[in-house]
Amino acid sequence: MSTYYPKQGEIKENWYVVDAKGEVVGRLASRIASVLRGKNDPTYHPAVNPHNHVVVLNADKVVFTGKKLRQKLYHRHSGYPGGYRNEAAGAMLARKPTEVLRLAVKGMLPKNRIGDALLRNIRIYADETHPHQAQSPQEITLTKNAK
């Protein structure tokens, strides 16, 4: 008996479309990260990039629970003295709605080369249109409370 390890030729690219309208950011991000990693496939292996691509639509219509719109802070630093900046989730959602969901998914992926490669397979759009019709993506519902 040997452990199954999927080879590069056996991996088939899959494209999925997710509508984020009215979804909670963290719950949606955890399910997107699971699909990107390939945990929904029977050939899952933690060291293999399954080449699953996720297209997220309506990212500007995601919701936060509780008081997170005011209390949750996003931090960054320019690298220069005095270059520390932070921004509340509500302000970030108004300024860059796609960045909120991208950072949430990034935090749920592995912190290594595979995580970096998986993050390149997500496309997030603030509205309902996307340029990936040629890949014929499959529409999926990732949350239990889909409206």
Side-chain angles (χ1 to χ4, degrees):
M1 299 293 289
S2 63
T3 303
Y4 174 73
Y5 192 86
K7 294 161 188 62
Q8 279 298 336
E10 298 173 356
I11 298 172
K12 181 180 166 267
E13 281 193 356
N14 296 314
W15 284 77
Y16 301 102
V17 172
V18 177
D19 188 11
K21 182 188 279 185
E23 300 291 346
V24 178
V25 174
R27 292 176 189 173
L28 180 64
S30 66
R31 290 182 173 98
I32 289 172
S34 179
V35 170
L36 283 174
R37 295 230 32 213
K39 289 189 172 187
N40 58 339
D41 297 335
T43 59
Y44 169 73
H45 192 279
V48 175
N49 183 353
H51 299 289
N52 289 337
H53 300 266
V54 178
V55 179
V56 182
L57 306 176
N58 293 320
D60 58 345
K61 295 179 178 69
V62 294
V63 296
F64 284 94
T65 57
K67 300 178 181 177
K68 290 189 191 82
L69 277 176
R70 286 174 304 176
Q71 292 180 350
K72 180 173 178 55
L73 295 176
Y74 290 97
H75 310 281
R76 66 183 190 276
H77 196 283
S78 67
Y80 289 97
Y84 174 75
R85 303 286 184 263
N86 59 12
E87 186 173 18
M92 176 81 91
L93 193 60
R95 189 174 63 88
K96 277 188 177 179
T98 59
E99 192 68 10
V100 170
L101 197 55
R102 190 189 72 79
L103 289 173
V105 171
K106 180 182 179 181
M108 296 179 188
L109 291 174
K111 308 324 186 249
N112 54 24
R113 285 182 292 183
I114 290 179
D116 295 340
L118 293 175
L119 194 60
R120 285 186 222 113
N121 292 343
I122 186 170
R123 279 98 174 155
I124 304 173
Y125 298 99
D127 54 359
E128 293 186 5
T129 60
H130 64 90
H132 304 288
Q133 294 299 332
Q135 285 79 15
S136 60
Q138 172 184 349
E139 190 158 333
I140 57 172
T141 306
L142 295 179
T143 57
K144 295 178 184 174
N145 320 3
K147 295 171 176 101

